[in-house]
Amino acid sequence: MRRTTPQPAGSRAAGAAPVPKSGTPQRRGAQPTPLHPGAWWLWSLSLGTAATRTTNPLLLTLLITVSAYVVATRRPDTPWSRSYGAFVKLALAVLLIRLLFATVLGSPIPGTHTLLTLPEVGLPAWAQGIRLGGAVTAEALTFALYDGLKLATLLICVGAANALANPSRLLKSLPGALYEMGVAVVVALTFAPSLIADVQRLRAARRLRGRPDKGLRGLLHVGLPVLEGALERSVSLAAAMDARGYGRTAQVPAAVRRTTAALTLGGLLGVCAGTYGLLTAEGATYGIPVLLTGLAAALAGLRLGGRRSLRTRYRPDRWDVRAWLVVASGVAVAALLTLAAVRDPAALHPGVVPLVAPTLPLWPAAAILLGLLPAFVAPDPKEPS
């Protein structure tokens, strides 16, 4: 019989799995840490800001391509990430509507290349400057195409943010002053799939019973039960939230509340005025100072308003180096396109009278390619670490 030598305590038997030195179990197939959702929004809004600086269709198409590539490589497989296709369809609809308006309502852009002539409807004297029908020129349609493509690019950039950033994690990162609004939006996002499921279930039940599920009659018979179920869920949720202490606020002096309201409201108005100034040629001189002042006032108001919220964050999202790189790439695109619009406006705003073919400026196009950086530095949600 073979004799075995006893091993000392703590030794590992042959063929046994190694024990980690740290004493904590190693997780296999764990998902990588996702990027902060605020970084995706800042990157997308920066690309949208760059789109407002040009009407060159080649540069706008390049911006759409950059955002689409990042979405294709870094979009998670979740229901909310599929909203990118809806934003692309909305952008195409906006572009077609802009061309339709230019065709039917005319355009102030003069032109010599007449494509077709529509029957013109006479309007009264008080409607001067507006016409229905008439000559449709190539210059007017080209101007409408450039203008509509700029708005479509902005919508697609916003769609990229919706597809890449987790809305629940983004709302969790809101400051304390926006706590109530964040809770309301989270509840709405949570109940929206339930409402859709209720509508589908009721319509399927009516079809099985041979009853109509379309039209005004079907809408009434389906909508009322869905509304009743939504009210019941809302009352139950309100009672549960009240029992768990939601809505409790700290005692803040009246002077602090008034100061918070004034700073927040004034800051938001300043941000709107500064953004309008940046989007118009006449307000370029005061746009940046007013925007920065309004942003500082709004942040100060949100900081003071956070004193009313007595809560802590569970596992808050960290703003790491990757988030800084993603934001820096978008800000660089917006800054370089703004600089190019000042130094070479003819390249970024091709003329339509006379009608000329747009050209691709090299260094603004290279600046847009900086927006591809998130496709390489952001974690891939489809691959385990």
Side-chain angles (χ1 to χ4, degrees):
M1 180 180 294
R2 183 179 178 181
R3 299 178 60 184
T4 58
T5 305
Q7 297 180 355
S11 63
R12 179 171 57 91
V19 180
K21 296 181 179 180
S22 59
T24 58
Q26 295 180 349
R27 294 182 300 174
R28 296 183 179 179
Q31 294 294 329
T33 304
L35 195 71
H36 195 286
W40 285 125
W41 270 100
L42 291 176
W43 172 81
S44 302
L45 293 179
S46 298
L47 293 187
T49 303
T52 62
R53 298 291 88 192
T54 179
T55 57
N56 191 320
L58 301 179
L59 294 178
L60 293 174
T61 305
L62 188 58
L63 280 170
I64 294 175
T65 305
V66 167
S67 65
Y69 181 78
V70 174
V71 169
T73 56
R74 291 297 179 264
R75 178 174 57 177
D77 188 13
T78 54
W80 47 263
S81 64
R82 301 166 191 163
S83 62
Y84 186 74
F87 276 90
V88 172
K89 295 177 182 178
L90 179 61
L92 291 176
V94 167
L95 183 59
L96 293 177
I97 291 173
R98 183 67 179 88
L99 292 174
L100 180 63
F101 280 3
T103 302
V104 177
L105 302 179
S107 175
I109 303 299
T112 57
H113 299 80
T114 302
L115 299 178
L116 71 157
T117 302
L118 300 176
E120 188 171 356
V121 179
L123 296 176
W126 54 266
Q128 292 183 0
I130 303 175
R131 69 175 178 85
L132 295 177
V136 179
T137 62
E139 290 83 356
L141 285 182
T142 303
F143 177 79
L145 176 64
Y146 291 173
D147 193 41
L149 186 59
K150 180 171 68 174
L151 181 56
T153 306
L154 183 59
L155 288 174
I156 290 176
C157 291
V158 175
N162 282 273
L164 293 169
N166 190 329
S168 300
R169 292 177 52 239
L170 179 64
L171 292 171
K172 187 179 70 173
S173 303
L174 287 176
L178 304 177
Y179 169 62
E180 290 84 359
M181 184 187 71
V183 171
V185 176
V186 168
V187 171
L189 292 175
T190 305
F191 276 1
S194 301
L195 294 177
I196 297 175
D198 288 347
V199 171
Q200 294 176 349
R201 178 176 54 82
L202 291 172
R203 291 186 61 185
R206 291 186 63 82
R207 284 195 299 267
L208 291 175
R209 292 179 174 89
R211 299 177 181 177
D213 62 323
K214 297 181 181 179
L216 182 59
R217 183 178 179 183
L219 179 63
L220 292 176
H221 286 84
V222 171
L224 290 178
V226 171
L227 180 60
E228 181 183 1
L231 290 176
E232 291 179 356
R233 282 195 297 267
S234 64
V235 171
S236 301
L237 179 63
M241 293 177 66
D242 183 69
R244 288 168 173 81
Y246 280 90
R248 304 294 193 271
T249 57
Q251 296 294 331
V252 179
V256 176
R257 292 199 300 268
R258 288 192 292 267
T259 305
T260 301
L263 286 175
T264 305
L265 182 60
L268 294 179
L269 292 176
V271 169
C272 294
T275 304
Y276 177 79
L278 289 177
L279 297 178
T280 58
E282 295 79 5
T285 55
Y286 69 85
I288 294 180
V290 173
L291 178 62
L292 294 178
T293 304
L295 186 61
L299 291 177
L302 293 177
R303 182 74 175 180
L304 286 177
R307 297 180 179 181
R308 296 178 61 249
S309 177
L310 298 175
R311 68 188 183 101
T312 58
R313 287 189 176 91
Y314 177 68
R315 293 184 180 178
D317 293 320
R318 295 182 179 180
W319 194 280
D320 53 7
V321 178
R322 297 172 303 178
W324 283 113
L325 290 175
V326 169
V327 174
S329 65
V331 172
V333 174
L336 291 175
L337 262 293
T338 303
L339 179 61
V342 175
R343 296 185 59 181
D344 192 6
L348 269 70
H349 299 277
V352 295
V353 181
L355 191 60
V356 295
T359 59
L360 182 64
L362 294 181
W363 75 268
I368 293 176
L369 294 179
L370 294 175
L372 291 173
L373 185 62
F376 304 99
V377 300
D380 190 357
K382 303 173 184 177
E383 296 181 359
S385 60

